[in-house]
Amino acid sequence: MAYPDGLLVDGEQVVMHKHPHWKLLIVPVLVLLVVVGLGSFLASLVSIQPWAPWAWLGLGALALVLVVWLTVVPVIRWRTTHFVITTRRVLIREGVLTRHGIDIPMSRISSVQFRHTLLERLLGCGTLIIESASEEPLEFDDVPDVERVHSMLYAEVADES
């Protein structure tokens, strides 16, 4: 999904648009599978009871709450988190109902670094660290293909100079 052009200034073009790494979706998917499996098992256990319809209703309600809270919300949060590099700035947008974001002009970026653990290297993600005129460096976790993002951002900063 491309970043909306209406949010860019005149002459600005998107160089890269990413969501957080897919590893953030592993736990929500596992929760979904466990809830469905356990719910089905419990529903089959109570099926011979005279109060089975009430138990099924309770199990369904509990499963719905768990799936929405532990699967749907994290997936929507992942989908609505954007890491965008344009020709003029770095934009980070997060949030579903309430949104917040950070814009860092290319001219204010003094250095770009990345780091990743062995597991992150195997998964192809890492942490991007951007130092700018602010007091502390900004760290962005779970950036997919962090080395490529680092190289592209460095190239955009060098072009801006």
Side-chain angles (χ1 to χ4, degrees), residues 28-160:
V29 168
L30 289 176
V31 165
L32 175 66
L33 295 174
V34 168
V35 166
V36 169
L38 189 59
S40 300
F41 175 72
L42 292 175
S44 70
L45 284 180
V46 299
S47 65
I48 59 172
Q49 302 299 324
W51 41 267
W54 295 107
W56 291 337
L57 187 61
L59 284 171
L62 179 62
L64 181 65
V65 167
L66 288 175
V67 166
V68 167
W69 180 36
L70 298 174
T71 300
V72 174
V73 169
V75 168
I76 291 173
R77 189 176 300 125
W78 173 84
R79 188 71 179 126
T80 58
T81 300
H82 302 272
F83 181 83
V84 182
I85 299 174
T86 72
T87 52
R88 294 187 180 184
R89 58 190 168 150
V90 176
L91 299 96
I92 291 82
R93 298 289 185 266
E94 298 176 314
V96 179
L97 299 177
T98 60
R99 295 195 44 87
H100 64 279
I102 301 171
D103 290 8
I104 307 167
M106 290 292 179
S107 60
R108 307 273 314 243
I109 296 175
S110 56
S111 76
V112 182
Q113 304 171 33
F114 72 91
R115 69 169 178 262
H116 44 190
T117 64
L118 179 60
L119 178 61
E120 289 174 330
R121 286 184 71 187
L122 293 172
L123 292 174
C125 64
T127 300
L128 187 69
I129 304 155
I130 299 175
E131 291 186 39
S132 64
S134 65
E135 294 177 15
E136 294 183 18
L138 299 170
E139 294 189 10
F140 304 102
D141 298 323
D142 301 316
V143 175
D145 201 10
V146 71
E147 289 186 55
R148 186 169 154 257
V149 172
H150 170 266
S151 297
M152 290 186 81
L153 184 55
Y154 180 78
E156 288 299 320
V157 169
D159 287 347
E160 184 73 20

Side-chain angles (χ1 to χ4, degrees), residues 4-29:
D5 290 334
L7 299 177
L8 304 176
V9 298
D10 291 335
E12 185 175 25
Q13 296 176 344
V14 174
V15 175
M16 180 181 295
H17 175 212
K18 300 253 185 202
H19 294 284
H21 193 266
W22 57 262
K23 77 176 184 174
L24 295 179
L25 299 176
I26 293 173
V27 171
V29 168

